[in-house]
Amino acid sequence: MPSTSARPAHRLSLFGRALCATLALSAAALLTSACSYPSGSGSGSDAAGSAANSKIVVVGAENEYADVLGQIGGRYVAVSAVMSNPNTDPHTYEASPQVAAEVSRARLVVQNGLGYDDFMHQIEQSSGHGSQQVIDVQQLLALPDSTANPHLWYQPTTMPAVASAVAADLASIDPAHKAYYAANLATFKTSFSAYTSAITELKTRYGGAAVATTEPVADYLLDAAGVSNLTPWAFQAAVMNGTDPSPQDVAAQQALFTEHKIKAFVYNQQVTDSLTTSLLTLAKDNGIPIVGVYETMPTPGYDYQKWMLAEVAALSGAIGSGQSAPTL
């Protein structure tokens, strides 16, 4: 079952993550890991054994980025993910000495940026690994620090850009297999056609349909599909940052359910509290279908493309047929 965390969550946890990362490097014995690690994804997934072979050690701060690293690097990389457990709140993540050691060994790292995984900067700066290549997705997409929504992996154009950057960096690290990485990149981009087609179909059939959300986890996907999110931004931001929404915003949010203004409720499975669970109950009481969304990729059985396809299918089923999909 997903964990239920009492707020405050995000804003305080950012400090907590940075603090823990620092402690991980200076007082390793005092820390305990709160994440599932290592977690392989893609075709090269045995990070633990990488020291014994010639694979390139690569790390994704979130398992969706690790999955893309694995799909592009294939048999020539040993990939692991720092955050990979879909049943825990990523905002309360604590870096362990094992994580710090693995990140410091990596030749290539992919991290989200926008404050979502600042602990990675702490580890990288402390590792002294001068030749390490880092793909910061915020920087890759040229997004300003003022970008309000950090959940960049829900933007349909993000992962193709990440995959291209991964292929280029792996080719620079391992020029002998440049053609292999390029072929994997082509396969990866081709595989996106099903996902982009599903978004187009959702937009064609249900564009303009209204939903409510707990926080802006899947907002980029909703925007791409033309689905209207009626939840006040201030409410979403407050939940995301672990602060209390105003009574006015709470009342406006509740009215979306009781007045049946929405077709579905998009619910973050990984960051919950008494307020969001009360909305879950309100949705059920008013017959509003629920769509569960995640901040880290559900495993096993998913790669990034399958995960996003499943989320689009859940949205389509909820809006079009009133079917709930609270979990994937």
Side-chain angles (χ1 to χ4, degrees):
M1 294 292 292
S3 64
T4 299
S5 62
R7 289 178 295 146
H10 197 226
R11 184 169 294 160
L12 291 180
S13 65
L14 289 177
F15 168 78
R17 280 187 257 167
L19 174 62
C20 289
T22 302
L23 290 173
L25 297 172
S26 61
L30 299 179
L31 287 178
T32 57
S33 173
C35 69
S36 172
Y37 186 87
S39 173
S41 69
S43 54
S45 61
D46 188 7
S50 62
N53 57 43
S54 59
K55 290 185 177 182
I56 303 166
V57 176
V58 297
V59 172
E62 293 77 27
N63 65 348
E64 47 267 34
Y65 293 128
D67 178 69
V68 175
L69 280 163
Q71 291 192 50
I72 303 303
R75 62 178 177 268
Y76 296 114
V77 300
V79 57
S80 58
V82 175
M83 291 192 287
S84 59
N85 189 340
N87 295 322
T88 59
D89 179 354
H91 301 161
T92 59
Y93 169 75
E94 295 180 358
S96 71
Q98 183 186 9
V99 169
E102 187 68 16
V103 173
S104 70
R105 288 199 306 122
R107 298 287 303 279
L108 176 60
V109 173
V110 179
Q111 59 202 39
N112 186 74
L114 286 175
Y116 193 84
D117 44 20
D118 274 350
F119 63 93
M120 296 293 288
H121 293 293
Q122 300 267 344
I123 295 173
E124 290 151 8
Q125 291 171 3
S126 301
S127 71
H129 191 333
S131 62
Q132 185 177 71
Q133 294 180 222
V134 176
I135 297 172
D136 184 297
V137 180
Q138 175 194 355
Q139 296 176 6
L140 179 69
L141 302 179
L143 297 174
D145 291 342
S146 58
T147 301
N149 185 358
H151 305 97
L152 303 178
W153 54 94
Y154 273 95
Q155 169 61 260
T157 58
T158 293
M159 284 307 188
V162 171
S164 294
V166 168
D169 282 357
L170 287 177
S172 70
I173 295 169
D174 178 26
H177 299 114
K178 179 178 179 179
Y180 174 82
Y181 303 130
N184 284 350
L185 174 61
T187 300
F188 182 88
K189 290 188 172 180
T190 299
S191 72
F192 252 69
S193 60
Y195 174 39
T196 55
S197 295
I199 294 173
T200 299
E201 182 178 355
L202 176 60
K203 187 173 186 178
T204 299
R205 299 183 66 182
Y206 306 119
V211 301
T213 61
T214 51
E215 60 175 292
V217 173
D219 277 14
Y220 291 119
L221 175 58
L222 296 176
D223 289 344
V227 174
S228 180
N229 179 11
L230 299 188
T231 296
W233 169 256
F235 181 96
Q236 288 187 298
V239 173
M240 178 175 66
N241 292 324
T243 59
D244 291 326
S246 71
Q248 293 81 3
D249 285 334
V250 172
Q253 174 81 341
Q254 292 171 335
L256 299 177
F257 296 76
T258 58
E259 298 177 11
H260 296 273
K261 295 179 178 178
I262 54 175
K263 293 290 187 180
F265 177 40
V266 181
Y267 182 79
N268 184 1
Q269 290 287 327
Q270 287 178 248
V271 181
T272 61
D273 61 12
S274 58
L275 174 60
T276 61
T277 52
S278 73
L279 292 172
L280 194 65
T281 300
L282 197 60
K284 293 175 180 176
D285 290 346
N286 285 276
I288 295 168
I290 299 157
V291 176
V293 293
Y294 298 77
E295 300 202 32
T296 53
M297 184 175 68
T299 56
Y302 286 102
D303 59 22
Y304 174 76
Q305 298 95 313
K306 291 178 181 176
W307 175 31
M308 289 295 113
L309 270 173
E311 296 286 16
V312 172
L315 274 170
S316 182
I319 295 171
S321 306
Q323 299 172 345
S324 279
T327 59
L328 294 181

